[in-house]
Amino acid sequence: MAETISRFGAVELDDLPEDLRERIGAIAERSGFVPNVFLALGHRPAELRAFCDYHDALMERESGLSKAERELVVVATSGANHCTYCVVAHGAILRVRAKDPYLADRVATSPWTTELSERQRAIVDLALALAVEPGAFSADDLDAARETGLTDEEIWDVGAITALFAMSNRLAHLMSLRPNEEFYLMGRVPRS
């Protein structure tokens, strides 16, 4: 029996409303496959649309954090949240964007001890402070980030990305969302 994408089933790309079919189709055209998250969330089109809109508002903007730094936040916090889907999928994107085949694995499994630049360390530490023990998050965490040179806009980006992926991680756990096989080799071997 083939492994399922989600405990709650999945849709086919053709089953999505036209706007989502076009949006997800464009992603599939660039990557060569449809990420399973879209097929799994597709049974609730309004939620998929909202998820994609917020994801793109945070992850695709051209200011503050680089796209690789944004993925660094996702991988570090998803690793702390034990989210296999997001670690695998966003680890692949981080490998590509950072042009580093090892960074994602190191950050996902040992974010507190992985050697990082001072800026990367500040980003990861801030994200983990909010992700792991949010009730203890304080002005001290913000001050530490500012002392390394992060701006308030960048700090907001780290916090918003951490929050979005806390939700995403929980949904992936709920669904037992299976990563696409294609993600495992992305950024490790040349694209064919």
Side-chain angles (χ1 to χ4, degrees):
M1 180 168 101
E3 202 173 0
T4 60
I5 291 174
S6 164
R7 289 181 177 131
F8 294 86
V11 301
E12 296 295 325
L13 187 59
D14 291 339
D15 297 332
L16 293 171
E18 184 178 352
D19 67 310
L20 288 171
R21 193 170 50 248
E22 289 175 10
R23 188 174 194 171
I24 306 307
I27 293 167
E29 191 172 311
R30 285 191 310 272
S31 66
F33 62 97
V34 178
N36 287 345
V37 66
F38 302 125
L39 302 177
L41 291 176
H43 74 285
R44 292 189 163 199
E47 291 177 36
L48 174 57
R49 194 175 290 110
F51 175 81
C52 289
D53 287 344
Y54 197 43
H55 173 278
D56 291 353
L58 294 175
M59 300 300 287
E60 299 300 326
R61 52 185 241 128
E62 294 290 339
S63 65
L65 302 177
S66 71
K67 289 185 177 184
E69 289 169 336
R70 292 167 197 277
E71 295 299 337
L72 186 65
V73 172
V74 177
V75 172
T77 59
S78 295
N81 290 327
H82 309 287
C83 180
T84 301
Y85 183 87
C86 291
V87 165
V88 171
H90 289 274
I93 298 167
L94 177 57
R95 287 191 299 273
V96 170
R97 291 195 169 157
K99 297 176 178 46
D100 183 335
Y102 308 108
L103 179 61
D105 294 333
R106 291 175 178 151
V107 168
T109 59
S110 188
W112 292 276
T113 59
T114 298
E115 285 189 38
L116 299 168
S117 70
E118 181 181 11
R119 180 175 169 81
Q120 290 172 324
R121 171 57 49 210
I123 290 167
V124 168
D125 287 351
L126 180 64
L128 290 172
L130 186 57
V132 174
E133 211 170 338
F137 191 84
S138 73
D140 292 342
D141 296 300
L142 298 175
D143 291 342
R146 288 180 181 122
E147 285 173 15
T148 65
L150 291 181
T151 67
D152 281 355
E153 284 295 309
E154 292 168 332
I155 290 168
W156 183 272
D157 286 343
V158 171
I161 293 164
T162 298
L164 173 65
F165 280 90
M167 180 205 68
S168 180
N169 296 162
R170 270 77 178 163
L171 282 173
H173 285 297
L174 174 69
M175 294 185 284
S176 190
L177 186 58
R178 181 174 51 90
N180 300 68
E181 291 180 16
E182 294 89 344
F183 283 128
Y184 289 96
L185 295 181
M186 278 178 61
R188 297 185 201 276
V189 297
R191 194 170 178 182
S192 54

